[in-house]
Amino acid sequence: MNTGYSPLIDAIGRVHIPARHDARIVSLVPSLTELLFALGLGSRVVGRTGFCVHPKPEVRKVAKVGGTKDFDLEKIRALAPTHLIVNVDENPRERVEAAAAFVPHVIVTHPMAPLENPSLYRLFGGIFGTETEAESLAREFQAAYREAVEATSRLPRERVLYLIWKDPWMTISRDTYIARALDSVGWDQIDVGNSDRYPQLHLESVFGCVDRVLLSSEPYAFRPRDAEPVREAMNIASPVPGHTVRTVTVSLIDAEMTSWYGSRAIEGMRYLASLRAAGSP
């Protein structure tokens, strides 16, 4: 029964119906593969991408179908899925549409803020008959979110630059899930004056606008050695005699805790609150 979960509408407005208990699911979104297992649906997951690495070791038993961008349509077809889970940002629309030609149900997701997680849990719970598990996760997330906001509400807000790539340097726009997750604990992602959601920039161009630079662990896996060139570009001595040298903190940050919506967002909110309280990752 689907009590309290109707209508079941995904990110593009498509209405879904409750699935049969023998549903076969292929997930092309790492964080949502983990969510399916957290909802008790692991036995129904028949396919995943190579980037779907949680939860270990259970997910290793699930067949791989390629990457999030270049998933193999024939491998998916061979698994005979009833449901395909995709994301607007992570999966190319053209390939998703090609898969939709032979997968009966395609669930499109696009969470844009941490507070959208409970509705995401409920969407999956309603479709796959795990409403009780979804409500439990929703309560846990809401508690973690509330505690994170309360724990950081009295800290001075900081202007941050969240870097996701080097050569060229790339960051995120404010209109992203990551930026809103950072905002919830008092970190304000700066506007670099580019309308792209993941814009390129010159570090020198934001000198004086940033209190902290956060080096993400994905999609580019920043290492401690990467912090030095960032410091060199950002920590520039004041040209005015007698003024102090401006120092910008540069830190590594676990991207799974900032960008993975789904069940990991619960731990993610606690992680972000802990970092803010400590002052440095």
Side-chain angles (χ1 to χ4, degrees):
M1 181 174 250
N2 189 38
T3 304
Y5 281 77
S6 185
L8 299 166
I9 303 175
D10 70 11
I12 60 171
R14 180 182 291 134
V15 178
H16 294 268
I17 60 174
R20 292 163 48 107
H21 289 295
D22 59 353
R24 295 174 59 82
I25 307 167
V26 169
S27 173
L28 301 179
V29 188
S31 59
L32 298 184
T33 300
E34 182 178 39
L35 174 59
L36 291 168
F37 277 85
L39 290 170
L41 296 165
S43 63
R44 303 188 211 177
V45 180
V46 298
R48 56 153 177 131
T49 75
F51 298 103
C52 299
V53 296
H54 298 296
K56 299 174 182 176
E58 294 91 336
V59 77
R60 294 174 182 166
K61 303 173 186 177
V62 180
K64 295 181 184 178
V65 298
T68 57
K69 310 296 185 188
D70 60 351
F71 47 90
D72 190 314
L73 294 171
E74 291 310 309
K75 286 184 178 180
I76 294 175
R77 190 195 301 271
L79 293 170
T82 58
H83 292 76
L84 181 69
I85 293 175
V86 301
N87 177 266
V88 169
D89 286 334
E90 295 200 42
N91 311 123
R93 179 175 178 176
E94 298 77 13
R95 294 188 74 79
V96 170
E97 290 176 346
F102 57 85
V103 180
H105 306 284
V106 178
I107 304 171
V108 181
T109 65
H110 193 213
M112 291 292 290
L115 286 175
E116 294 181 23
N117 278 293
S119 61
L120 185 63
Y121 305 159
R122 291 170 179 138
L123 174 65
F124 283 20
I127 293 174
F128 297 113
T130 56
E131 293 94 336
T132 299
E133 292 84 352
E135 283 302 325
S136 177
L137 280 181
R139 287 193 298 272
E140 190 175 354
F141 173 83
Q142 288 161 344
Y145 182 87
R146 182 173 59 253
E147 290 165 6
V149 172
E150 291 175 354
T152 58
S153 61
R154 292 182 176 82
L155 297 174
R157 298 189 72 87
E158 289 186 330
R159 300 166 300 174
V160 302
L161 175 65
Y162 187 99
L163 292 177
I164 60 172
W165 203 261
K166 62 180 290 188
D167 299 327
W169 297 109
M170 294 180 68
T171 184
I172 61 172
S173 76
R174 292 178 176 177
D175 187 28
T176 54
Y177 179 95
I178 298 170
R180 293 187 176 97
L182 298 175
D183 174 76
S184 64
V185 296
W187 273 333
D188 300 315
Q189 166 68 18
I190 65 167
D191 183 355
V192 298
N194 187 312
S195 60
D196 293 342
R197 295 193 69 218
Y198 302 100
Q200 297 182 21
L201 78 159
H202 296 288
L203 294 183
E204 295 83 355
S205 68
V206 295
F207 170 69
C209 302
V210 179
D211 301 307
R212 181 183 299 272
V213 178
L214 300 171
L215 303 181
S216 174
S217 60
E218 62 177 45
Y220 183 85
F222 282 101
R223 297 289 185 263
R225 64 176 178 271
D226 294 311
E228 190 53 37
V230 177
R231 290 192 184 96
E232 290 177 359
M234 301 296 294
N235 295 337
I236 303 174
S238 170
V240 180
H243 284 224
T244 59
V245 174
R246 176 176 176 78
T247 301
V248 175
T249 302
V250 181
S251 311
L252 300 178
I253 192 166
D254 185 347
E256 290 183 0
M257 298 300 177
T258 59
S259 64
W260 281 41
Y261 35 83
S263 50
R264 185 157 293 257
I266 298 169
E267 184 181 353
M269 292 311 307
R270 295 171 179 150
Y271 170 85
L272 285 172
S274 176
L275 294 187
R276 277 290 278 139
S280 176

